[in-house]
Amino acid sequence: MQGYLSLLKIKRLPTTWCPGCGNGLVIKALIQVMESNNLNKKNTVIVSGIGCVGRTTGYLKLDSIHTLHGRAIPVAEGIKTANPKLNVFVVSGDGDLLAIGGNHLLHASRRKTNIKVICVNNRIYGMTGGQASPATPKKTVTTTTPKGNEFEEINTQAIVTSNKNFFARSTVFHLDHLKKMIKKSLENKDFSFIEVISNCYPGYGKKLGFTSNYEMLMDFKKKFENQKNKSILKKNELGFLK
Amino acid sequence: MKQKKQLIKGNHAIGKAAIEAGCNFYAGYPITPQNELTEYMAKHMRLNKRPFVQAESEVSAINMVFGAGAGDARAMTSSSSPGVSLKQEGISYIAGAELPCVIVNMVRGGPGLGNIAGAQSDYFQSTRGGGHGDYRLIVFGPNSVQELYDFTMKAFDYADKYRMPVMILGDGYLGQMMESYIPHKYEPIKNLPKKKWALTGCKGRKKNIVKTLYLTPENALEEHNLKLNEKYKKIQKEIQMYEKANADDGEIIVVSYGTASRVVKNVIEFFNKNSKKKIGMFRPISLWPFPATALRNLKCKKFLVVEMSMGQMIEDVKLALFGKKDVTVNLIKRPGGMIPTEDEIKDKIEKMIG
């Protein structure tokens, strides 16, 4: 197993995240890929938006920028366009990237800017206490949908792939797969979007009847399967489209 | 029947007042420290069979309110500082188009993302208009849960009466605190005008146009601005709200609003009990229009402004006192979500007494 301490700010631990949160797993996977692919302090910048996942930038020993709510993608585009040699990662959540940042996602994917967007999708606004996000499934009870969410969840995959960009789906349970997907995205020179399904027990899982973060991870194990056809990626499948 | 005291959270009190005052459109977006208000509206608007929308951003929420207000809805949106900054373009359009709406800002520390503690650093933004162009908002600065409740009800009436956005300028502390309040029946102000300008379908009448673009003739926009200004002057005459204590014969007057004024109140009581020196207080409640005349009419020469910002209201205090002889204005400033302590205010007052 590779270490992942070189880029982690050990002094800042423990993180502000709840025990069992998937965000830590995403950091681990990201750092391990960075180490194996020679992405380092010299050539890599990390960008995040607002929300729980947005705090990621603070735990990495890389030049990082904590941006406005929803605006991580345009800030990343600015960095990449002005300095194309840099590898630019965006790490943020579903509320940030898909709701308030939805328009920017649309246009960055149209421009095909070579940035890697890692969207940690816990299907809820975790930091503000569990409001519905665009990724919250229909009928889910949240603090802003007390009688169940009346809308369908957003189809991010369709948005990203409509411009023939790289889209991958993984979960925080399938760490090796997640690393593979991040590596795959590095081969791609266009806009890349990796949706990482994550767990938020206090904000989301609790209301669905789960009793712990562990149970939520086990649920990912049960629900998701590997992609069967290279040209199709179903909602419950792990894999990528290019 | 006289209502009994009840315990309620500040954010919930606003939601309750809004629903009682007939708010029939609400759009919001999550941001701490006002989430409880959005959540309250999600539940209670539905129970009252009125529309609630969780928008995809603050920008979307204010523009939904623009649309709802252009109809004949009593529309409201709420947010906290960074979110209210996002709303500014929409607020400018709503003010320019002369539409009513209520905006709640539960201020948090800034600039940028800042933190999530209550602050008073959005005073300039709120009282100067906030967005682009020459316009104003009616701004109330309540300092208790009871006042959050009372002024939210009033806000809807003033918005309809003057056809302009009204802002409740609270802060994170007021939104989050639980306090007793006495609920009361909503009583609208008299002679509220009918909304003849609203977009409700123009069959049988001349069509209504809602717009903020004035290109021709050359002075069309100037005329529009002058018309708005006439309205603002009228409001300045009609709305002048403040609270004062020992203000007419106080040796030093402490000026503060909102959460800061709660600390000041305790200090004034302390001096009342323990000192021969008379210390007074002046608390603007309507922050725009600022109760300048009432402040200027005080005989006192020494003023102390206490703010949870780097000093913003102090400019209005100085403007109100401009040209008066031998007047000094001191400042206690605690930015970034900090609350001034009673001790630091007492120390400053004692120094000023000399």
Side-chain angles (χ1 to χ4, degrees), chain A residues 12-229:
Chain A
R12 291 213 54 186
L13 301 184
T15 64
T16 55
W17 298 320
C18 308
C21 177
N23 290 346
L25 295 165
V26 177
I27 288 199
K28 179 177 178 179
L30 181 61
I31 295 182
Q32 287 182 341
V33 172
M34 284 178 171
E35 283 184 347
S36 64
N37 284 50
N38 278 329
L39 300 180
N40 49 43
K41 291 177 186 174
K42 266 188 205 163
N43 56 22
T44 309
V45 168
I46 186 153
V47 185
S48 70
I50 304 303
C52 295
V53 195
R55 303 295 284 270
T56 302
T57 43
Y59 299 117
L60 293 173
K61 289 182 191 164
L62 289 169
D63 273 355
S64 58
I65 178 166
H66 193 204
T67 66
L68 287 69
H69 186 35
R71 321 298 174 200
I73 287 179
V75 172
E77 284 191 271
I79 295 172
K80 180 71 184 178
T81 313
N83 201 346
K85 280 182 195 159
L86 287 173
N87 301 296
V88 183
F89 283 85
V90 171
V91 185
S92 206
D94 49 317
D96 186 78
L97 291 167
L98 308 179
I100 187 164
N103 194 28
H104 304 308
L105 172 65
L106 210 62
H107 290 279
S109 76
R110 179 176 64 83
R111 282 188 287 266
K112 293 178 161 295
T113 315
N114 182 8
I115 55 173
K116 315 295 166 202
V117 181
I118 297 175
C119 173
V120 184
N121 180 1
N122 58 11
R123 304 191 183 283
I124 203 84
Y125 285 92
M127 183 168 272
T128 47
Q131 294 84 2
S133 92
T136 303
K138 202 172 177 178
K139 292 183 182 165
T140 310
V141 172
T142 72
T143 56
T144 50
T145 55
K147 294 282 171 188
N149 185 13
E150 51 183 316
F151 307 111
E152 293 289 345
E153 61 189 279
I154 195 167
N155 188 345
T156 323
Q157 181 180 327
I159 295 171
V160 176
T161 53
S162 68
N163 291 301
K164 297 197 175 66
N165 289 306
F166 178 90
F167 179 89
R169 184 179 299 113
S170 193
T171 85
V172 288
F173 176 81
H174 303 84
L175 266 195
D176 281 338
H177 179 264
L178 171 59
K179 280 188 265 179
K180 221 187 276 175
M181 290 302 109
I182 301 175
K183 275 188 188 171
K184 257 290 176 276
S185 79
L186 296 173
E187 294 168 14
N188 180 47
K189 296 299 169 209
D190 289 344
F191 184 76
S192 303
F193 192 96
I194 302 157
E195 180 186 33
V196 189
I197 307 291
S198 184
N199 54 313
C200 177
Y201 168 68
Y204 181 68
K206 208 172 175 178
K207 292 208 179 81
L208 295 184
F210 291 101
T211 59
S212 67
N213 273 311
Y214 172 77
E215 267 190 16
M216 292 188 80
L217 289 181
M218 288 304 120
D219 187 56
F220 295 156
K221 181 186 178 187
K222 209 167 67 190
K223 265 191 194 149
F224 287 92
E225 49 190 50
N226 282 326
Q227 184 179 16
K228 289 193 185 78
N229 182 334

Side-chain angles (χ1 to χ4, degrees), chain A residues 50 66 69 71 95 99-100 125 127-129 131-133 143-147 150, chain B residues 29-32 35 38-39 42-43 46-47 52 54-59 86 113:
Chain A
I50 304 303
H66 193 204
H69 186 35
R71 321 298 174 200
I100 187 164
Y125 285 92
M127 183 168 272
T128 47
Q131 294 84 2
S133 92
T143 56
T144 50
T145 55
K147 294 282 171 188
E150 51 183 316
Chain B
Y29 184 82
I31 183 168
T32 310
N35 291 309
T38 310
E39 290 167 2
K43 188 176 171 193
R46 191 190 170 88
L47 288 175
F52 162 88
Q54 185 188 329
E56 76 276 19
S57 71
E58 289 88 348
V59 179
L86 275 171
L113 196 59

